[in-house]
Amino acid sequence: MERVAIRAKGLVKWFGDEATRTIAVRDASFEAHYGEMLYIVGPSGSGKTTLLSMVSGILKPNEGSVSVEGRDLWQMTDDEIADLRLNKIGFVFQDYHLFPRLTTAENVAIPLILKKMEWNKALEVALEYLDIVGLKDRAQLPPVKLSGGEQQRVAIARAIAGRPDILIFDEPTASLDGDTGRKIVEFIKTKILNRERCIIIVTHDSRIDEYADTIMKMEDGKIIGVEKKTEFAPGVEQ
Amino acid sequence: MSGILKIALKLLVNDKSKFAALLIGITFAVFLMVMMTSMFSGILARSSSSVYNIGAKIWVMDPAVNNASSSIPMPDYVLSTARSIKGVKYAEPIYFGGAQVKLKSGVYQAVTVVGLDNATLYGRPNLIEGNIADIYGENAFFVAKDAEYSKLENPKVGTEFEINDFRGVVVGLAQVASSGLFGVPTLYTTYSRAITYIPSTRFTTSFILIEPKSEADTPYIQEQIHKLGYEALTRDQFVKKITDFYTYKTGIGMNILMMTAISFIVGLSISGQTFYTFILENLEKFGALKAIGAKGSELISMILFQASFTALIGYGLGVGLASSMIILARIRIPDYAAQVTYTTLGFAFVMVLIIAGFSSYIGVRKVLQIQPFDIFRG
């Protein structure tokens, strides 16, 4: 039986007051499993990012619940959610959000430093992760000196440095050319995904569909279809 | 230093242009504030120099007197009465007057002449050259060797000059605690010679200096003098009266206060604006940190650290710059009236903390408002 990493039930999110209310996500329910690479796809404005934010503890839903490894996310305090994000969830943002005033190694070390690891030790560990993404030789450069693909890999190294169980990618190929984008996703699939890790990718890049285990389609805030390429049995939470 | 603060430090100092702008703003503000308050402090210290130099414990004066250099002569009965008050060990008159001396080179120089009681020389300065008894010699004067001393063409024992067509002879050089405010040299002589050489009014006693038998006698002496219609002030009270006069009744205090306030506002504006821009430029990064798992308290500590670090460095540079300016000014103008005191430094430090606090406040508000969702949404 596969373990469930995230279970979302009846998520609803709207913005604005009653007169100007816009419903971004309507009654969204799904499960993401360890060992699974789940895509959330759909056109712009379909609610992908909003859904992703709700399941990763960044945006509180108006209705519904999210459980991560069996714990109800939105019953936690702000600090508990911050701790959960730090220890369980790794983010790769669309614009990477690397710190231009820090070196590449220091950027990768940020989650470790937030976990109170000693500075030099954190930099040592960061080098190991830069090695995994093939950028150890760029460790002392500022991110602005790197290409888009390299910056993407630095962002991945930063996301996995904290050894999270759940990795969330927001449009990982949006800023990359087709070939680089495919290489990055292939790298994620082959090197980053494992049986102990769940990866959720928000994308509207159909060229990388071949790497997905599950593709969840959204439109107008609704999940309109789920295409399973790898079957995950309804599982139990850890 | 914790890792999160090290990140904050690197974010700050590696943004060289912003960091430089912040430092310049705070340094400039501190420099101006320290300069203004140091000048004021110097003026106040100089304004009370006579009180410190004479060193009497109680000063009797007309209530209208505001400072030592503008005395109102008192009739002799005040001195007689003062001497008869219970608790007075002794009471002696002292004379303060102004005159022009003609130096050997033919140049005229304004001086302050202090006439010490003939018998006791109460209030006399310490001599560094000459003998105290020589003051009783013909036309004898001591010269205070202070910052104004060179204006008398660096006289030595035996140097002669003219004072109101009288001959004067320097018989000793005196050490004083502080130079006067108005940049004129000070001569000491006997009371009788002073009132003879300088045209005087009917009454000649500028102040009466009292030595009480004990500190406990001071209130009673003050009360008795008050009954005469005069005022008896301890040294500290007289210094405070002079300080209050220059602070509140001459415009000097208000001008200095306004300049200091302007310096503070300029520093606050430059630093606040630059720090705000710095925060705005890094806002997404702070949002990303939040998304990664940084707690609000950690982000606040980062901003407080950045603001405090900049403020302290700027404070050090500002104080250093102001001190250097005062030292340089003293090389050119020995009697330059400015002094950096602990009060001055403390005042500037508090002002800098307010600047840092204000800058932090606007930064913290902005950073706490940013939601990680905004980072996702782009």
Side-chain angles (χ1 to χ4, degrees), chain A:
Chain A
M1 211 174 263
E2 297 297 331
R3 289 182 300 141
V4 175
I6 294 178
R7 173 171 288 142
K9 270 189 194 167
L11 290 179
V12 176
K13 183 68 191 178
W14 64 75
F15 297 102
D17 55 24
E18 280 190 23
T20 58
R21 179 172 293 177
T22 306
I23 299 175
V25 173
R26 302 158 193 266
D27 195 23
S29 302
F30 73 95
E31 284 180 356
H33 303 82
Y34 287 105
E36 181 181 18
M37 191 136 141
L38 169 71
Y39 283 15
I40 302 176
V41 301
S44 292
S46 58
K48 310 185 291 290
T49 302
T50 306
L51 179 61
L52 193 68
S53 301
M54 288 191 288
V55 299
S56 56
I58 277 175
L59 185 66
K60 191 170 186 178
N62 296 108
E63 290 174 19
S65 65
V66 177
S67 63
V68 176
E69 294 185 344
R71 294 174 66 195
D72 193 332
L73 186 62
W74 291 108
Q75 294 300 315
M76 297 181 194
T77 64
D78 286 350
D79 279 358
E80 284 173 337
I81 293 175
D83 277 338
L84 183 111
R85 286 204 299 265
L86 181 61
N87 295 303
K88 286 279 174 200
I89 304 173
F91 293 94
V92 179
F93 307 106
Q94 184 176 343
D95 298 327
Y96 318 136
H97 288 299
L98 300 173
F99 289 78
R101 312 286 177 200
L102 302 181
T103 65
T104 299
E106 286 164 351
N107 266 284
V108 174
I110 283 175
L112 305 169
I113 289 163
L114 287 174
K115 286 181 170 186
K116 317 289 184 212
M117 188 181 281
E118 192 266 325
W119 181 267
N120 289 331
K121 175 72 181 162
L123 286 181
E124 271 176 38
V125 175
L127 282 180
E128 290 170 20
Y129 283 93
L130 277 173
D131 199 21
I132 291 171
V133 297
L135 290 172
K136 194 177 179 182
D137 57 333
R138 307 295 175 96
Q140 298 312 316
L141 291 177
V144 287
K145 299 269 186 188
L146 306 180
S147 69
E150 287 173 329
Q151 287 186 36
Q152 177 72 277
R153 282 192 278 158
V154 174
I156 293 170
R158 181 175 70 182
I160 60 174
R163 303 174 69 88
D165 300 327
I166 299 160
L167 267 175
I168 287 175
F169 290 77
D170 189 21
E171 301 282 7
T173 59
S175 313
L176 306 173
D177 61 79
D179 197 37
T180 311
R182 259 193 305 278
K183 279 183 183 165
I184 286 284
V185 179
E186 187 179 355
F187 175 80
I188 294 167
K189 176 89 179 184
T190 55
K191 303 284 186 189
I192 308 298
L193 181 65
N194 58 44
R195 287 185 59 80
E196 305 301 321
R197 187 170 273 160
C198 166
I199 294 179
I200 302 175
I201 295 178
V202 161
T203 183
H204 55 256
D205 185 354
S206 57
R207 294 170 302 182
I208 56 169
D209 282 359
E210 61 188 288
Y211 302 103
D213 294 311
T214 306
I215 298 177
M216 199 165 77
K217 290 180 183 160
M218 289 192 74
E219 206 171 290
D220 293 335
K222 283 184 183 168
I223 297 170
I224 57 167
V226 178
E227 180 188 345
K228 287 193 179 291
K229 296 185 170 186
T230 307
E231 199 56 49
F232 287 87
V236 291
E237 287 161 0
Q238 189 177 43

Side-chain angles (χ1 to χ4, degrees), chain B residues 174-196:
Chain B
Q175 186 183 39
V176 291
S178 170
S179 302
L181 177 61
F182 301 109
V184 293
T186 305
L187 302 179
Y188 290 87
T189 189
T190 57
Y191 190 91
S192 55
R193 184 174 299 124
I195 60 172
T196 306

